[in-house]
């Protein structure tokens, strides 16, 4: 990559950031009671107090688990959007185990295992359907998300609701299962970063990951090299489901400390965003998750301090993310321009195809 | 009296390119290209893959804009910002990969975007009348009501041509139009082009096949490394001279060598197999001998390609026996075949031959993940993988930046070198190779052929499936002809066998009649 191009990229990035900033200002000016405070809240809110910092970091850690999980399936060429459902199933399994065991030294490890198994099992379903029936994984995972979400609510309301509860929750777990934190740093953050590193090693360094990436690049190629393609597709779903399952455990034992209907809702989709921003590289997920979490926390703060409507905050985040994603994509597409021949010009379709594939 | 040829030479110039230049970053794709196309002539643009032919045509069709230079239509300078400007100027383009809507009928595809409407409703009758006129003029038949997805490749190509003519194209650009056609279909295309020519349409014909230039073109412009290196009238130039222009030297063509086959490497008996788009194999019995190159040929979809897939283990046999060095194989699959040293070069190079977004180094170890040289404790040994890649790049003369370059950014010939390097460097005992030189340039073809010859000389049983009969005749020792899923001939390749004989066998003649 030549320096000229990098310089141009920097200029374009700066222009994009400034443009997005102006748009954000305009939106805030239209809606906020106190524009300077809102801007300040958006930019520094996440570090304005210990509590908010802890909120930012633990939220980011959840995003990291999901982001790593999503990177894994996407790199194998499977557009699974089922992390949301896997998180719910995992949380339910973990919560069930924790509540059943009560105060016990084994409660937390067994509950985490249950979360992993629940997420993996919930992911295995669309994996099998994809591998053996060639069912579109977008459709199956999306539908299974609904099943998981409502099953979660159903089980809590029907089986776990304590007497006299005002809203649909379970009992608190035994305190021994609560994840510790060090000052503002939750322990889930450490596990989340380790998960990202683990997924990265699995994908990029291991033999299994090598095979998975080959399947992701071209299934005919994997078949021609004797790989068990169907089994590998299932493995990809299962491992990614297991990692997504960790999110469920992290939220339950690090955040809510009990099961609440609606807990962690939307995390599966935000995890997809984080993975896409990281260009499906699990090694970059901690960074994009922290950045997105920062923005997200700031957005929640200005809803309170600046009285900015929630919808506007979501629009703001959308604007910033679309701008950033477009810039990253453009750079990514450019860095693929060939060195020897110019296939992009020989086959006008390819360049577009790549972009489609990634953003699909 | 003037012959039509001479009249064409005098015909007015309809299209002229002057000093067209185009860069893509550091790549100089077109260097000061000038060209003139005369009315009613077929003008071939000949060049190797990556010579800049397609870039030039994309400039002509308004897909790309040149950095400098001029396009003149009927003597007037024009600039094309988009294909619609080129279409308005009477230029029509038939891309190598068609841009048709599979769900729509042939007729709707032809008129799409240029529909006749009355009161906002598409009036198909007007379009149909016009298209039928065009078909009559060209003497082609297309089932206009049929959906494009149900048409054959050559019919789809005609739909593309008709689509261009429907929009009033007087200058037609055909980008490697024979790449996907069977020999018989090629004849049909050439006839249609000749009839078009008589109606005054001028054709720019992009190709890298020498015989097509001779068969069809009046003029030929040879492009190498983006620049025009020669212009000829067809008939005043030999193929050898054209090759010399294309590759810069006049050494090509590898003739077959006599080989004494060793024992039987692989044998099938009464083999059957099924495939969605090919004739099923029925009762195929065949012995493949070590140290011999066997060519399998047939009309597209008559089972010879399917046989290769079964031999390589990527498609399961439905019945019959398959044995390897005398041992009957019961559970035959690709993994098993690989463990038995059966190498496979698939037909679809860019999807099955390589993982194109991944690096050369990774592609080169994809078939040897069990080798402890490359893995330790289930993890990849990256330095060993890269070292191995550098060795093979050197050995197989892959032209690339380094071993970490994605395979998809290499030229077609170098992609195939990567595939061959991976498959042949394991010293296989059986090599199944499908369409190994499709779309490659002369130099790359020669390199592929010498690799296959070397494998056979080293004692492998080589199976070559190719739709290029000249290639088969030039390389193999023995030819097996397939028709409708059955072996109809199994003959040694000798002076009494030529493309005509094979063609007749493929079409169903008996051996005695064919010879």
């Amino acid at each position: 990559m030549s320096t000229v191009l990098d310089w141009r990229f920097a200029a374009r990035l700066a222009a994009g950031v400034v443009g997005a900033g102006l748009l954000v200002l305009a939106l805030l000016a239209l809606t906020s009671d106190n524009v300077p405070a809102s801007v300040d809240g958006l930019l520094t809110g996440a570090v304005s107090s210990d509590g908010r910092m802890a909120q930012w970091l633990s939220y980011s850690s959840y995003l990291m688990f999901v982001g790593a999980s999503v990177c894994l399936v996407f790199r194998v060429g499977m557009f699974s959007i089922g992390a949301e459902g896997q998180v719910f199933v995992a949380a339910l399994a973990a919560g069930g185990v924790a509540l059943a065991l009560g105060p016990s030294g084994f409660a937390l490890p067994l509950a985490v295992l249950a979360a992993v198994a629940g997420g993996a099992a919930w992911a295995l379903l669309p994996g099998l359907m994809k591998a053996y029936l060639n069912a579109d994984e977008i459709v199956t995972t999306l539908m299974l998300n609904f099943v998981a979400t409502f099953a979660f609510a159903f089980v809590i309301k029907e089986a776990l609701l304590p007497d006299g509860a005002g809203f649909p929750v379970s009992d608190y777990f035994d305190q021994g299962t609560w994840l510790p934190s060090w000052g503002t740093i939750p322990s889930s953050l450490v596990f989340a970063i380790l998960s990202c590193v683990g997924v990265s090693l699995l994908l990029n360094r291991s033999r299994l990951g090598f095979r998975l990436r080959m399947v992701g690049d071209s299934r005919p190629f994997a078949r021609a090299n004797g790989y068990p393609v169907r089994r590998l597709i299932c493995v990809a779903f299962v491992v990614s489901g297991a990692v997504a399952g960790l999110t469920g455990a992290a939220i339950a034992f690090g955040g809510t400390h009990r099961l609440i209907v609606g807990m962690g809702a939307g995390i599966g989709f935000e995890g997809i965003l984080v993975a896409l921003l990281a260009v499906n590289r699990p090694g970059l997920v901690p960074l994009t998750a922290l950045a997105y979490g920062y923005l997200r926390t700031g957005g929640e703060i200005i809803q309170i301090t600046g009285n900015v409507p929630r919808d506007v905050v979501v629009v703001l985040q959308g604007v910033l993310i679309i701008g950033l994603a477009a810039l990253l994509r453009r750079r990514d597409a450019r860095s693929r321009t060939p060195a020897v021949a110019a296939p992009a010009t020989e086959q006008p379709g390819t360049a577009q195809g790549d972009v489609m594939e990634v953003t699909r | 009296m003037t012959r039509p040829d001479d009249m064409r030479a005098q015909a007015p110039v309809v299209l002229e390119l002057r000093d067209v230049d185009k860069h893509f970053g550091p790549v100089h794709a077109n260097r000061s290209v000038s060209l003139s196309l005369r009315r009613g002539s077929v003008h071939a643009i000949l060049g190797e893959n990556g010579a800049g032919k397609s870039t030039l045509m994309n400039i002509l069709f308004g897909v790309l804009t040149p950095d400098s230079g001029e396009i003149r239509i009927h003597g007037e300078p024009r600039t094309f910002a988009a294909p619609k400007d080129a279409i308005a100027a009477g230029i029509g383009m038939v891309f190598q990969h068609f841009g048709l809507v599979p769900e729509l009928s042939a007729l709707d595809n032809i008129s799409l975007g240029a529909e006749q409407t009355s009161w906002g409703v598409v009036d198909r009758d007007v379009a149909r009348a016009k298209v039928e006129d065009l078909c009559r003029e060209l003497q082609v038949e297309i089932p206009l009501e049929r959906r494009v997805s149900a048409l054959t490749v050559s019919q789809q190509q005609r739909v593309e041509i008709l689509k261009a003519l429907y929009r009033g194209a007087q200058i037609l650009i055909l980008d490697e139009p024979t790449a996907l056609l069977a020999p018989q279909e090629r004849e049909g295309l050439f006839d249609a082009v000749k009839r078009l020519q008589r109606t005054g349409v001028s054709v720019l014909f992009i190709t890298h096949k020498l015989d097509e230039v001779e068969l069809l073109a009046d003029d030929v412009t040879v492009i190498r490394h983006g620049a025009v290196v020669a212009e000829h009238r067809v008939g005043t130039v030999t193929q050898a001279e054209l090759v010399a222009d294309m590759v810069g030297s006049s050494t090509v063509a590898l003739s077959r060598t006599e080989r004494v086959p060793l024992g039987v490497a692989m044998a099938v008996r009464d083999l059957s197999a099924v495939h969605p788009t090919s004739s099923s194999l029925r009762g195929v019995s065949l012995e493949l001998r070590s140290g011999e190159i066997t060519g399998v040929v047939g009309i597209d979809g008559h089972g010879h390609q399917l046989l290769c897939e079964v031999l390589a283990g990527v498609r399961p046999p439905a019945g019959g026996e398959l044995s390897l060095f005398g041992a009957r194989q019961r559970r035959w699959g690709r993994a098993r075949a690989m463990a038995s040293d059966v190498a496979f070069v698939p037909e679809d190079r860019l999807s099955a031959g390589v993982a194109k977004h991944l690096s050369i180094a990774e592609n080169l170890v994809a078939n040897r993940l069990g080798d402890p040289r490359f893995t330790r404790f289930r993890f990849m040994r990256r330095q060993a993988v890269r070292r191995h890649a550098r060795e093979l790049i050197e050995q197989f003369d892959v032209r690339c930046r380094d071993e970490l370059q994605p395979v998809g950014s290499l030229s077609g010939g170098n992609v195939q070198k990567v595939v061959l390097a991976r498959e042949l460097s394991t010293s296989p005992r059986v090599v199944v190779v499908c369409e190994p030189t499709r779309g490659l340039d002369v130099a790359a073809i020669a390199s592929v052929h010498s690799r296959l010859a070397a494998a056979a000389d080293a004692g492998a049983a080589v199976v070559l499936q190719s739709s290029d009969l000249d290639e088969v005749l030039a390389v193999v020792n023995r030819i097996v002809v397939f028709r409708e899923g059955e072996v109809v001939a199994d003959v040694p390749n000798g002076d009494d066998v030529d493309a005509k004989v094979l063609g007749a066998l493929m079409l169903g003649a008996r051996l005695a009649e064919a010879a």
Side-chain angles (χ1 to χ4, degrees):
Chain A
M1 185 103 328
S2 68
T3 46
V4 181
L5 237 149
D6 271 346
W7 183 84
R8 266 197 230 143
F9 170 73
R12 207 177 282 123
L13 183 68
V17 169
V18 170
L22 288 176
L23 194 58
V24 166
L25 269 182
L27 275 169
L28 284 179
L30 285 173
T31 55
S32 172
D33 297 347
N34 184 345
V35 178
S38 295
V39 174
D40 187 51
L42 198 59
L43 295 182
T44 62
V47 288
S48 59
S49 74
D50 281 358
R52 283 169 178 170
M53 189 143 163
Q55 185 193 340
W56 165 42
L57 293 178
S58 56
Y59 185 71
S60 299
S61 74
Y62 310 151
L63 288 173
M64 286 176 206
F65 286 118
V66 184
S69 149
V70 170
C71 285
L72 201 148
V73 268
F74 279 17
R75 285 279 284 277
V76 190
M78 300 291 125
F79 198 83
S80 160
I81 50 176
E84 179 88 359
Q86 291 149 21
V87 171
F88 275 115
V89 171
L92 187 60
V97 168
L99 289 171
L101 291 180
S104 153
F106 296 113
L108 183 62
L110 285 179
V112 170
L113 272 182
V116 166
W122 201 247
L124 178 63
L125 286 173
L128 288 170
M129 287 193 259
K130 176 70 185 181
Y132 293 92
L133 305 173
N134 202 25
D136 189 329
E137 72 278 12
I138 304 178
V139 177
T140 53
T141 52
L142 187 65
M143 293 302 140
L144 284 170
N145 283 348
F146 287 108
V147 177
T149 308
F150 290 107
F152 181 77
F154 178 80
V155 172
I156 289 178
K157 283 179 193 159
E158 295 299 319
L160 300 175
L161 205 63
D163 295 334
F167 55 105
V169 291
S170 75
D171 272 328
Y172 277 100
F173 309 133
D174 179 69
Q175 290 230 3
T177 65
W178 296 15
L179 288 175
S181 37
W182 305 288
T184 59
I185 299 172
S187 53
S188 62
L189 185 67
V190 177
F191 295 121
I193 291 173
L194 286 177
S195 298
C196 291
V197 173
V199 170
S200 179
L201 287 176
L202 174 76
L203 263 182
N204 298 316
R205 299 290 178 88
S206 78
R207 187 168 68 189
L208 174 64
F210 184 98
R211 289 201 166 112
L212 291 174
R213 284 185 293 123
M214 294 284 162
V215 171
D217 204 81
S218 164
R219 268 173 263 168
F221 175 80
R223 237 171 264 130
N225 283 287
Y227 302 169
V229 173
R230 290 177 168 176
R231 208 180 317 154
L232 287 170
I233 288 175
C234 290
V235 167
F237 271 92
V238 165
V239 178
S240 108
V243 178
L246 289 173
T247 323
I251 295 174
F253 302 114
T256 58
H257 302 138
R258 55 178 172 169
L259 298 178
I260 306 172
V261 170
M263 68 189 253
I267 191 88
F269 295 102
E270 286 175 287
I272 293 175
L273 253 171
V274 165
L276 285 177
L277 285 174
V279 214
N280 293 337
R281 291 203 200 127
L284 291 180
V285 162
L287 293 180
T288 57
L290 282 170
Y292 181 79
Y294 191 90
L295 200 62
R296 184 63 207 260
T297 310
E300 261 162 38
I301 288 160
I302 60 170
Q303 286 176 44
I304 305 160
T305 58
N307 205 16
V308 180
R310 192 184 131 71
D311 314 278
V312 173
V313 171
V314 174
V315 170
L316 288 181
Q317 287 166 350
V319 167
L320 291 174
I321 288 162
I322 290 172
L324 190 58
L327 288 164
L328 287 175
R329 280 282 166 265
R330 194 180 160 78
R331 186 166 138 100
D332 191 47
R334 273 175 168 268
S335 66
R336 282 192 199 171
T337 41
V340 178
T345 60
E346 297 277 324
Q347 296 165 312
T350 27
Q352 287 174 343
D354 282 352
V355 175
M356 290 274 292
E357 219 169 75
V358 182
T359 51
R360 193 168 71 121
Chain B
M1 232 180 82
T2 43
R3 296 190 359 253
D5 268 11
D6 295 328
M7 278 165 53
R8 250 175 244 148
Q10 307 302 322
V13 171
V14 289
L15 169 86
E16 198 181 358
L17 292 178
R18 287 188 184 175
D19 295 326
V20 169
D21 237 63
K22 180 75 184 173
H23 290 262
F24 295 102
V27 180
H28 203 163
N30 284 157
R31 300 163 196 261
S32 185
V33 174
S34 299
L35 182 80
S36 47
L37 174 67
R38 295 185 177 278
R39 186 169 190 275
S41 69
V42 176
H43 193 130
I45 312 285
L46 182 69
E48 295 191 81
N49 299 307
K53 295 168 297 190
S54 296
T55 303
L56 192 63
M57 295 307 119
N58 281 330
I59 287 172
L60 249 181
F61 195 54
V63 177
L64 298 169
T65 45
D67 297 341
S68 63
E70 201 173 63
I71 301 172
R72 286 167 176 259
I73 307 284
H74 300 297
E76 271 175 57
R78 302 290 281 266
T79 50
F80 301 147
K84 68 173 169 26
D85 301 334
I87 292 169
I91 296 177
M93 175 118 179
V94 176
F95 287 100
Q96 202 173 342
H97 301 282
F98 311 137
L100 299 171
V101 185
E103 290 80 14
L104 292 183
S105 71
L107 181 67
D108 286 352
N109 264 286
I110 292 167
S111 62
L112 192 67
E115 303 94 343
Q116 297 285 331
T117 53
S118 56
W119 303 99
V121 175
V122 176
D123 188 342
R124 288 199 171 77
D125 293 339
V126 179
R128 184 176 296 112
K130 195 169 160 189
V131 173
E132 279 171 352
D133 278 351
L134 285 171
C135 287
R136 251 194 305 282
E137 211 171 327
L138 287 179
Q139 296 174 29
V140 295
E141 278 183 32
I142 299 282
L144 291 175
E145 299 303 331
R146 194 171 296 174
R147 293 193 333 174
V148 160
S149 56
L151 299 180
T152 66
V153 172
S154 74
Q155 285 174 329
Q156 291 184 15
Q157 187 174 53
R158 301 228 166 113
V159 170
E160 280 277 10
I161 293 173
L162 287 168
K163 193 173 153 184
L165 298 175
Y166 186 84
R167 284 159 176 71
Q170 286 300 305
I171 298 164
L172 196 61
I173 306 172
L174 303 175
D175 188 2
E176 308 220 351
T178 59
L180 301 170
L181 301 185
Q184 287 79 356
E185 294 171 328
R186 192 176 82 163
E187 299 294 311
L189 170 71
F190 285 6
D191 288 343
V193 169
K194 282 176 185 152
R195 277 191 287 274
L196 263 181
Q197 199 180 356
R198 281 199 287 277
T199 66
V201 172
S202 321
V203 178
L204 270 179
F205 173 62
I206 307 170
T207 185
H208 58 257
K209 293 182 184 158
L210 297 166
D211 56 331
E212 293 181 353
V213 172
E214 216 150 76
L215 280 172
L216 191 63
D218 303 303
D219 303 284
V220 52
T221 295
V222 186
I223 295 186
R224 189 167 80 221
H225 300 315
V228 172
V229 290
E231 288 171 296
H232 302 283
R233 304 291 323 274
V234 173
T236 66
V237 59
T238 64
Q239 288 208 351
E241 286 168 330
L242 286 176
V243 171
D245 290 336
M246 264 169 84
V247 300
S249 77
S250 54
T251 50
V252 270
L254 185 117
S255 63
R256 64 181 190 275
T257 49
E258 294 301 325
R259 291 192 182 85
V260 183
L262 313 165
V264 173
M266 200 178 201
V268 293
R269 231 176 62 202
D270 206 19
L271 184 80
S272 58
V274 288
H275 186 277
T277 62
S278 153
S279 305
S280 299
L281 287 180
R282 284 177 309 191
V284 173
S285 296
L286 202 59
E287 288 185 338
L288 303 166
R289 294 183 286 263
S290 300
E292 184 181 60
I293 305 184
T294 306
V296 294
V297 299
I299 298 171
D300 187 28
H302 274 244
H304 53 304
Q305 295 123 315
L306 177 55
L307 174 78
C308 289
E309 291 188 6
V310 174
L311 293 180
V314 288
R315 192 168 291 276
E321 283 179 23
L322 187 150
S323 54
L324 200 64
F325 295 99
R328 177 154 181 216
Q329 305 293 321
R330 290 184 188 280
R331 294 175 58 87
W332 190 243
R334 184 65 197 133
R336 186 65 186 272
M338 285 168 69
S340 315
D341 298 320
V342 178
F344 178 43
V345 177
E347 173 179 352
D348 193 349
R349 190 181 309 145
L350 280 177
S351 84
V354 292
K356 58 177 180 286
H357 298 110
L358 302 178
S359 70
I360 297 172
E362 291 179 311
N363 270 276
L364 285 172
V365 293
N367 64 340
R368 52 196 78 176
L369 295 176
D371 186 336
R373 275 167 63 206
F374 304 117
T375 51
R376 180 166 43 197
F377 308 125
R378 296 177 178 241
F379 274 77
M380 304 300 294
R381 303 175 66 166
R382 300 205 298 171
Q383 289 311 315
V385 168
R386 290 183 62 174
R387 208 163 37 240
H388 167 257
R390 284 196 294 271
E391 281 162 19
L392 287 183
I393 285 168
E394 170 89 31
Q395 201 183 327
F396 282 78
D397 189 30
V398 181
R399 307 285 169 81
C400 57
R401 195 172 53 218
D402 59 30
E403 70 275 13
L404 298 180
Q405 192 178 342
V407 173
S409 66
L410 299 175
S411 69
N414 283 303
V415 170
Q416 192 69 317
K417 283 180 191 170
V418 171
V419 178
L420 289 173
R422 185 185 66 232
E423 295 301 320
L424 298 181
S425 60
T426 52
S427 29
R429 295 188 293 172
V430 176
V431 182
V432 180
V433 183
C434 301
E435 304 286 359
T437 60
R438 181 183 275 173
L440 300 192
D441 62 54
V442 177
I445 289 173
S447 140
V448 170
H449 288 171
S450 70
R451 292 291 169 192
L452 295 181
D457 292 339
V462 180
V463 182
L464 170 65
Q465 180 263 309
S466 170
S467 53
D468 184 344
L469 292 182
D470 292 332
E471 167 172 81
V472 172
L473 288 163
V475 174
V476 308
N477 304 105
R478 171 184 160 212
I479 302 176
V480 181
V481 184
F482 279 78
R483 176 163 173 78
E484 290 174 355
E486 292 178 274
V487 175
V488 293
D490 185 345
V491 293
N493 186 12
D495 295 335
D496 51 333
V497 182
D498 59 21
K500 240 172 80 187
V501 174
L502 292 180
L505 289 167
M506 283 157 59
L507 289 167
R510 288 160 177 248
L511 190 55
E513 301 162 16

